[in-house]
Amino acid sequence: MTSWSQITHTFPPRSKGAYLVTSEIEKAISSEVRKYKMGMCNLFLQHTSASLCLNENVCREVREDLTMALDHMAPETLKYKHTDEGPDDMPGHVKSAVMGVSLDIPIRDGALALGTWQGIYLCEHRTYQHRRSVIITIQGEKRK
């Protein structure tokens, strides 16, 4: 029988950058995910100028390079029409649209089944600090 659980987690405010948040997510879901033999965990970020992704979980330079590459892809210097919330807002929307706001991660034996070098990133695309929330939905077969 399939079971469902849902948790909302709010990250502390962060300014622009790519942040490794695997341990924050694991801590937020630990009491629930351990009940599952197998299943899926969906992470849905409720924002339009931030994103989620899986990437290299050891080397800090990867996070710095990712931020640099995204800034190159969607610079603040383009002639955007949507400028009501500042020059960093529309580039944030572009980056979020390209990167995505949702991840699906398998659950195996009560834990997220990430690869050895995989980590969960929260990518904040706005210059100033913002508080971001993620809805975490777990579904699957619970342990007996």
Side-chain angles (χ1 to χ4, degrees):
M1 183 166 118
T2 300
S3 296
W4 294 80
S5 301
Q6 195 169 73
I7 299 157
T8 299
H9 175 71
T10 301
F11 296 104
R14 292 179 164 103
S15 55
K16 182 162 73 171
Y19 299 91
L20 186 61
V21 296
T22 310
S23 61
E24 285 180 66
I25 296 294
E26 289 174 333
K27 184 177 178 184
I29 66 172
S30 65
S31 64
E32 260 324 293
V33 76
R34 74 178 78 167
K35 299 175 187 175
Y36 287 82
K37 178 179 177 184
M38 67 179 211
M40 290 297 292
C41 178
N42 173 266
L43 306 173
F44 178 77
L45 191 65
Q46 297 181 287
H47 304 280
T48 61
S49 55
S51 59
L52 295 171
C53 72
L54 293 178
N55 218 307
E56 166 30 276
N57 66 1
V58 176
C59 186
R60 179 167 181 76
E61 288 86 357
V62 171
R63 297 189 293 278
E64 294 167 0
D65 288 346
L66 180 59
T67 300
M68 178 192 62
L70 290 169
D71 285 344
H72 181 75
M73 180 191 75
E76 290 184 16
T77 55
L78 291 180
K79 302 251 184 234
Y80 297 107
K81 294 179 181 178
H82 173 71
T83 58
D84 297 345
E85 297 177 52
D88 65 338
D89 188 45
M90 191 58 216
H93 293 315
V94 172
K95 295 168 190 176
S96 179
V98 170
M99 302 265 307
V101 295
S102 148
L103 295 174
D104 289 316
I105 303 170
I107 296 167
R108 182 187 310 133
D109 296 325
L112 297 178
L114 293 166
T116 302
W117 306 110
Q118 287 183 320
I120 302 168
Y121 283 23
L122 168 66
C123 298
E124 175 56 64
H125 304 305
R126 300 292 306 271
T127 302
Y128 299 106
Q129 291 187 350
H130 287 80
R131 186 177 310 275
R132 305 301 189 178
S133 295
V134 61
I135 296 175
I136 306 165
T137 304
I138 300 169
Q139 67 170 354
E141 180 185 340
K142 285 192 172 180
R143 298 172 188 255
K144 295 186 181 191

